[in-house]
Amino acid sequence: MTSDPLLALRPWEAPEVTSWGRLPMNAVDRRSGALPLDGDWNFRLLPAPDAPVGGAWSTAYVPGVWTMQSIQGADDLPQYTNIRMPYAEFPPLSPVYRNPTGVYERTVDVPAEWTGRRIVLQVGAAESVLLVQVDGRPVGISKDSHLAADFDLTPFVRPGERATVRLTVVKWSDASHIEDQDQWWHGGITRSVLLYATDPLYLADVTVQAAYSGELRVDCRVRDTGGVLPDGWYVTGELDGRLLAQDAEFDRANVEDERVSDFLGEVRLHTTVPDVRTWNAETPELYGLTVRLHRADATVADTSYHRIGFRDVEIVGRNLLVNGERVYIRGVNRHDFHPLTGRTVSYDDMRADLVLLKRFGFNAIRTAHYPNDPGLYDLADELGFYVVDEADIESHDHAHEIADDPRYLNAFVDRVSRMVLRDKNHPSVITWSLGNESDYGANHDAAAGWVRRHDPTRPIQYEGAAKLDWAATDDASDIACPMYAPLEDCVAHALSGEQTRPLIQCEYSHAMGNSNGTLADHWAAIESTPGLQGGFIWEFWDHGILQGVNDGRPVGRGGAGLYDNGVAAPGHRWAYGGDFGETIHDGAFIADGVVFPDRTPKPAMYEHREIAAPVRIECFKHEGIVLGNHQHFRGLDWLAGEWELSLADGDTVTAPAELPDLRPGATAVVPLPFEVPREGGEAWLTLRVTTARDEAWAPRGTVVCLPQVRLREAATVPASPENRSVEVDADGLLVHPLLTAAPILSLWRAPTDNDELGGTALRWRTWGLDSLVRKAVSVREDDGRTTVVAEYAGTLGVVRHRQVLTPVEGGVRIDEEAELPAEFHDVARVGSVFETVAGLDLLEWFGQGPWESYPDRSAGAPVGHHRVPVDELFTPYLRPQESGGRHGVRRFTLSAPDANGLTVALDEPRQVSVTRYRAEDLTSVTHHDQLAPRAGCVVHLDAAHRGLGTASCGPDTFPSYLVAPGVHRWSWTLRTL
């Protein structure tokens, strides 16, 4: 038996114990004037919570997880699982003999000026069970890895003296079973620790309701450490200089009210703001609210400051309304994450996250799958984001058992209610979420009931409840928020006449690797189908941890500068599941974000930016260009524009653009800015839209979107054959001085994560597409043309491939035909692949770009003239795979610094990729530090290329983006510069 009373409770195996000695959650921010306790603490890592603490101390940095720090004697490293728990015990049990437990200890000099004050310790977050002691005396216990825990230390410390604070953090517990989220498992203190003091008479809570009409109600709760409230106290409020009135019914001095007692004072303040500036994600107007608690002599005992926004959120029929407007939710799921510190994020990190999202057209965040760092909500208020605030509940591996388990009832209600109490005053929070992937049971209903009683101003959502019946009206979700629902099912539901509530997918496009196919198709359906209102992409980050290749450990806090543009420095790599020696893991499934671990945007971000464009070119009419304002609340005065005309047979010319004064939803015709020649090749008009002035999230001149319209179709100019022959070798392969490998047929790509996890890659390998054998070659020359016919044999079928090589001025025209058998009903690509000599290091092209694009992810890549060094074309997705493709390429040039090189003209816009890697190079490794780039270029020209989809988690690409069997034809001309 242990003599430690906290350990005697064994809270890590008692689900009915959610806290002991922990103060109630509230919305009063105590960071101002607090004594920060961040920094180096003495530290010991024990094998289990009841192991002796004896031995030498190391140091650990707080806030931070021990799994990411190089701590002497600490060998517990990060582990990634998605659904399954990292240990075999069933709830509520946790491992008995292997339960890493961190003991943090430091001395604190309690300020002498705090004499007579109430002294409180706040631990911002600890994963997963926190036990607090001061000078060896037990203070309290807390569970819930993602919310702060406050403890009253007044009986345990003396101002002017030194105290020893010990924080014991147990990694595994009964609570771990409801924190089974798709993320790395860590252990430690992940948010700041601080000590603060209040007057014995203090504000216990402040609840703000600021309506779109300008009406403001502030409910204040007052307590005193002595229990009985002193006579004569009162509360005042000030809103940007405007004094708030006090409601008589809550005036303790005048009325007797059952809500007011000697131990709890309640006051309601109110005002109505004329001509109020309302809050929404486009114009996030904030006011400063100061609440002061006064003693009887009018001196101030306590103060609470809030930045508030006036806005309404309601559901009317099947529409979610903000300030009476049906808004589109262009959202992303976001974890608290950093590649060097794990779960610990700084204010600057969070601001950089939200600034980046804002620049790429996102307006909403789901805090997956727990309340995020408090600073995130302040930033969301300021920068303008709609937030779905999600409770720290996910029991993925044991969802069905736990949802109705009364042993977990308190934990469900506790986690949801504390989230609401902390975040209720943020205008950015428009919806409460009861958690994620935890089935549906009585525990959810209990939590929902508490929220609906406490905060009727916001809707509740929970995917587990709504998935049973999207049209239900009697469950714990006010929103139908499915996860990866097929688009056709969503559209059918919206058109069925049975829809009863908004349909906003909590996850709908999985960003693992080269992914987010059909994103534009989804939004075309959402914007054209009443009842569909958007959704949240999974997710923001690739959760790669920077790892030293030689020692296999996380680099930690000192690794800044060891990565750039998504690429880790030599000797380092982005680690994912299994890279830390763990046997139970889920591999690269943790790398599923729209940004790389260093926050570099993936190409899919540009797709989203264009889909979310606030101003768009609706069409091209004879009288001019039709522009539309696709915002909900804002005009176009904050934007500037420039017209760009790209001609296929010329350069790009520009002219200033004057944007019309358009209210949201309106359109206007503006004159065509250029006189387009009657003859020539394609002509494309792009409106480069930028910020006209500095915004909180972007300096003046930041690109917002690039809407585009084609003004003229392509003109076909046939190449004239020459009276000479084309050289081929004995195998019928083209001989060319700039090619090291002649063009051959290609049906295979290095499988994307969607290909692998969705099962198509296995099917391709079964067919033998990764190892086609070229045979049965016949070569015939006829009137200067050389015809080469070959068969490419797979495991199950044979593809007949025909090349006709025709000499033309400066080069050769290659007409190709491939006949796929019926067995090959869905291949990766049909096209040509060849390799070049070294030195051709610059790619210039006319087509879509400049960033990577694919057939079902190309809306964000405008047609134009682009140039990018070959080494920058490849996209370094964490697990090497097909990448670097450009869709809709009409022609391209590969050149050396001396301007020598080759140029290729295609018969029609095609998918092209130019990288340093063959498909087999990419499939033979697991990380980029294992890749060796080739000196020359590997070039793919595809007649057809399969879409990307999101089948690693969710629907595959649409049938229209599949590569079907039958005859495929393409032609191209190769010339030397």
Side-chain angles (χ1 to χ4, degrees):
M1 294 289 293
T2 177
S3 59
D4 189 325
L6 292 181
L7 292 175
L9 290 174
R10 302 188 68 83
W12 54 90
E13 57 185 27
E16 66 277 6
V17 178
T18 60
S19 68
W20 176 80
R22 188 183 68 195
L23 297 175
M25 183 62 78
N26 61 78
V28 179
D29 187 354
R30 298 297 186 183
R31 288 172 287 188
S32 177
L35 176 66
L37 300 183
D38 292 350
D40 289 327
W41 286 55
N42 294 325
F43 180 77
R44 286 292 313 276
L45 184 63
L46 309 179
D50 47 7
V53 183
W57 291 84
S58 301
T59 59
Y61 191 84
V62 173
V65 290
W66 66 67
T67 44
M68 295 285 288
Q69 301 186 46
S70 296
I71 302 171
Q72 184 176 359
D75 59 354
D76 186 36
L77 296 176
Q79 181 176 3
Y80 166 62
T81 62
N82 174 27
I83 298 174
R84 53 186 171 167
M85 290 294 293
Y87 51 81
E89 284 80 1
F90 278 70
L93 302 178
S94 55
V96 175
Y97 301 109
R98 178 59 178 164
N99 191 354
T101 300
V103 181
Y104 298 79
E105 192 170 282
R106 65 163 292 172
T107 57
V108 178
D109 292 319
V110 182
E113 58 269 27
W114 286 1
T115 299
R117 294 175 66 79
R118 167 177 170 262
I119 300 172
V120 180
L121 174 73
Q122 181 179 98
V123 180
E127 187 172 340
S128 71
V129 174
L130 171 68
L131 298 84
V132 180
Q133 296 170 306
V134 173
D135 292 332
R137 299 164 64 191
V139 173
I141 294 170
S142 177
K143 295 181 185 178
D144 187 346
S145 296
H146 302 284
L147 283 174
D150 288 22
F151 301 90
D152 190 345
L153 299 193
T154 310
F156 302 93
V157 298
R158 292 184 178 181
E161 297 185 7
R162 177 169 292 181
T164 299
V165 176
R166 173 176 287 189
L167 305 178
T168 301
V169 180
V170 185
K171 183 174 183 178
W172 305 123
S173 70
D174 58 88
S176 301
H177 291 284
I178 56 172
E179 295 180 359
D180 181 19
Q181 293 132 349
D182 182 8
Q183 59 178 330
W184 292 99
W185 292 99
H186 290 293
I189 300 170
T190 58
R191 295 178 190 157
S192 290
V193 179
L194 53 88
L195 199 66
Y196 67 87
T198 74
D199 192 88
L201 179 69
Y202 63 95
L203 289 166
D205 200 5
V206 174
T207 302
V208 177
Q209 291 187 19
Y212 174 67
S213 63
E215 293 185 40
L216 173 65
R217 190 181 87 184
V218 183
D219 291 338
C220 308
R221 287 192 162 203
V222 178
R223 292 188 183 275
D224 190 278
T225 56
V228 177
L229 290 170
D231 291 332
W233 64 267
Y234 63 98
V235 176
T236 62
E238 183 179 324
L239 183 73
D240 282 355
R242 173 191 297 269
L243 294 178
L244 279 64
Q246 180 173 318
D247 281 4
E249 66 173 298
F250 276 78
D251 186 344
R252 183 178 180 275
N254 297 328
V255 300
E256 292 295 328
D257 192 296
E258 63 181 2
R259 289 167 294 183
V260 182
S261 71
D262 289 336
F263 305 102
L264 171 64
E266 292 190 354
V267 173
R268 175 172 292 171
L269 307 174
H270 74 272
T271 191
T272 299
V273 180
D275 301 319
V276 66
R277 305 186 312 274
T278 57
W279 187 98
N280 59 73
E282 295 171 13
T283 55
E285 298 283 355
L286 295 174
Y287 289 75
L289 170 68
T290 303
V291 177
R292 296 183 180 92
L293 170 61
H294 302 265
R295 306 179 187 92
D297 62 0
T299 57
V300 176
D302 201 1
T303 302
S304 183
Y305 179 76
H306 306 261
R307 297 185 75 194
I308 67 169
F310 289 81
R311 63 103 186 93
D312 289 342
V313 180
E314 59 183 333
I315 292 176
V316 177
R318 57 181 185 171
N319 295 319
L320 174 68
L321 306 181
V322 174
N323 298 341
E325 294 289 331
R326 180 179 184 269
V327 297
Y328 286 123
I329 302 299
R330 304 181 186 278
V332 70
N333 289 272
R334 180 194 174 276
H335 280 279
D336 281 342
F337 169 78
H338 193 279
L340 302 179
T341 55
R343 200 93 67 222
T344 300
V345 290
S346 69
Y347 181 85
D348 289 342
D349 288 333
M350 290 184 286
R351 187 178 189 91
D353 291 354
L354 298 197
V355 162
L356 184 67
L357 286 169
K358 196 80 173 179
R359 291 182 184 181
F360 282 90
F362 291 91
N363 70 355
I365 293 168
R366 177 178 175 230
T367 66
H369 296 295
Y370 44 80
N372 283 186
D373 186 285
L376 180 94
Y377 302 82
D378 296 333
L379 288 164
D381 295 340
E382 173 195 341
L383 298 175
F385 283 90
Y386 303 123
V387 174
V388 172
D389 204 5
E390 189 152 277
D392 189 11
I393 299 172
E394 180 171 342
S395 55
H396 209 152
D397 199 12
H398 300 286
H400 183 69
E401 304 98 297
I402 289 177
D404 285 306
D405 189 337
R407 293 176 298 178
Y408 280 92
L409 173 62
N410 288 343
F412 274 59
V413 176
D414 184 63
R415 287 164 182 250
V416 172
S417 62
R418 292 180 71 236
M419 171 187 70
V420 172
L421 289 168
R422 187 194 75 166
D423 297 335
K424 60 190 173 185
N425 294 337
H426 289 281
S428 58
V429 177
I430 64 168
T431 307
W432 302 116
S433 170
L434 303 180
N436 183 68
E437 293 178 318
S438 301
D439 207 342
Y440 179 41
N443 294 338
H444 295 98
D445 286 333
W450 187 94
V451 177
R452 286 182 169 137
R453 176 69 176 84
H454 185 83
D455 180 26
T457 70
R458 295 177 175 93
I460 299 171
Q461 73 175 57
Y462 176 56
E463 180 267 342
K467 74 179 180 182
L468 301 177
D469 180 0
W470 292 354
T473 58
D474 58 352
D475 57 36
S477 187
D478 301 317
I479 296 171
C481 47
M483 188 177 289
Y484 308 109
L487 180 60
E488 59 270 24
D489 291 356
C490 296
V491 172
H493 177 66
L495 299 178
S496 68
E498 299 177 357
Q499 186 177 3
T500 58
R501 50 188 170 181
L503 196 156
I504 303 171
Q505 292 210 60
C506 65
E507 297 174 26
Y508 76 101
S509 182
H510 194 252
M512 185 176 182
N514 193 357
S515 189
N516 298 110
T518 72
L519 196 58
D521 303 81
H522 273 74
W523 273 97
I526 290 167
E527 293 187 356
S528 62
T529 309
L532 304 186
Q533 212 168 330
F536 296 83
I537 291 175
W538 184 265
E539 62 163 316
F540 179 55
W541 285 102
D542 268 0
H543 291 227
I545 292 175
L546 190 65
Q547 179 187 43
V549 173
N550 292 330
D551 63 10
R553 297 187 64 89
V555 171
R557 294 173 60 243
L562 292 177
Y563 44 78
D564 184 47
N565 290 324
V567 179
H572 302 82
R573 67 181 181 184
W574 298 122
Y576 49 76
D579 287 337
F580 294 106
E582 66 269 41
T583 56
I584 300 176
H585 65 86
D586 286 309
F589 207 70
I590 194 69
D592 48 11
V594 291
V595 301
F596 288 105
D598 65 351
R599 207 182 290 109
T600 296
K602 290 184 182 178
M605 289 284 275
Y606 296 93
E607 184 86 348
H608 188 274
R609 187 179 72 179
E610 213 55 46
I611 292 167
V615 57
R616 305 182 196 176
I617 298 176
E618 306 291 348
C619 62
F620 167 45
K621 293 184 175 182
H622 177 71
E623 60 268 29
I625 304 296
V626 180
L627 294 183
N629 180 355
H630 283 252
Q631 300 171 103
H632 299 294
F633 301 99
R634 206 172 189 187
L636 302 185
D637 58 301
W638 66 285
L639 299 170
E642 181 182 61
W643 294 109
E644 297 180 353
L645 178 64
S646 297
L647 302 172
D649 52 359
D651 294 325
T652 299
V653 293
T654 63
E658 184 174 341
L659 299 180
D661 182 13
L662 285 178
R663 59 178 175 79
T667 61
V669 179
V670 299
L672 189 65
F674 302 100
E675 184 175 344
V676 182
R678 291 182 177 274
E679 297 180 355
E682 283 183 277
W684 288 83
L685 183 66
T686 304
L687 179 60
R688 177 175 289 271
V689 181
T690 60
T691 50
R693 55 182 178 267
D694 289 346
E695 299 283 333
W697 48 272
R700 179 176 179 269
T702 299
V703 174
V704 174
C705 57
L706 299 167
Q708 186 178 69
V709 65
R710 182 163 57 185
L711 301 180
R712 191 174 61 205
E713 300 284 344
T716 303
V717 181
S720 302
E722 289 192 339
N723 188 20
R724 61 181 178 84
S725 61
V726 176
E727 183 180 359
V728 298
D729 65 14
D731 294 320
L733 299 174
L734 175 66
V735 176
H736 192 282
L738 295 182
L739 303 188
T740 58
I744 59 173
L745 178 68
S746 175
L747 306 180
W748 165 256
R749 69 185 182 196
T752 66
D753 291 316
N754 290 330
D755 297 335
E756 291 285 12
L757 297 180
T760 53
L762 176 61
R763 185 169 66 245
W764 294 340
R765 290 187 178 98
T766 301
W767 294 345
L769 300 188
D770 59 335
S771 55
L772 292 176
V773 178
R774 184 175 183 267
K775 60 182 182 179
V777 178
S778 68
V779 179
R780 186 181 78 252
E781 292 189 15
D782 182 18
D783 196 22
R785 292 183 174 86
T786 302
T787 301
V788 181
V789 178
E791 290 184 349
Y792 287 76
T795 305
L796 297 180
V798 174
V799 178
R800 186 175 182 274
H801 179 231
R802 180 173 178 264
Q803 284 183 335
V804 178
L805 310 174
T806 305
V808 296
E809 183 181 358
V812 57
R813 176 185 172 92
I814 306 173
D815 296 282
E816 305 199 55
E817 179 181 289
E819 184 177 356
L820 274 61
E823 295 93 332
F824 293 176
H825 56 82
D826 174 15
V827 300
R829 63 179 5 134
V830 178
S832 313
V833 59
F834 61 86
E835 297 180 24
T836 74
V837 297
L840 306 184
D841 299 332
L842 178 66
L843 179 70
E844 300 175 83
W845 75 97
F846 181 70
Q848 294 188 250
W851 29 83
E852 174 193 274
S853 56
Y854 283 82
D856 63 348
R857 201 193 68 215
S858 64
V863 175
H865 297 278
H866 308 288
R867 55 184 291 156
V868 176
V870 170
D871 290 336
E872 297 178 15
L873 293 167
F874 181 71
T875 307
Y877 298 108
L878 264 63
R879 187 189 66 80
Q881 57 196 272
E882 162 67 33
S883 77
R886 265 65 180 176
H887 188 61
V889 176
R890 281 75 166 164
R891 68 169 184 266
F892 66 87
T893 297
L894 272 169
S895 61
D898 61 4
N900 288 322
L902 57 83
T903 183
V904 170
L906 297 133
D907 58 338
E908 60 180 77
R910 301 288 190 182
Q911 183 79 19
V912 171
S913 72
V914 181
T915 71
R916 302 293 190 192
Y917 306 106
R918 295 174 180 170
E920 55 264 35
D921 297 337
L922 301 173
T923 55
S924 64
V925 300
T926 58
H927 293 78
H928 285 273
D929 62 287
Q930 302 164 330
L931 278 173
R934 296 178 181 273
C937 301
V938 180
V939 182
H940 281 272
L941 316 175
D942 293 331
H945 195 104
R946 191 186 195 277
L948 301 169
T950 63
S952 56
C953 187
D956 199 351
T957 192
F958 297 160
S960 58
Y961 297 114
L962 300 180
V963 180
V967 177
H968 295 262
R969 297 183 178 88
W970 67 104
S971 63
W972 49 291
T973 302
L974 173 65
R975 290 185 173 92
T976 303
L977 294 177

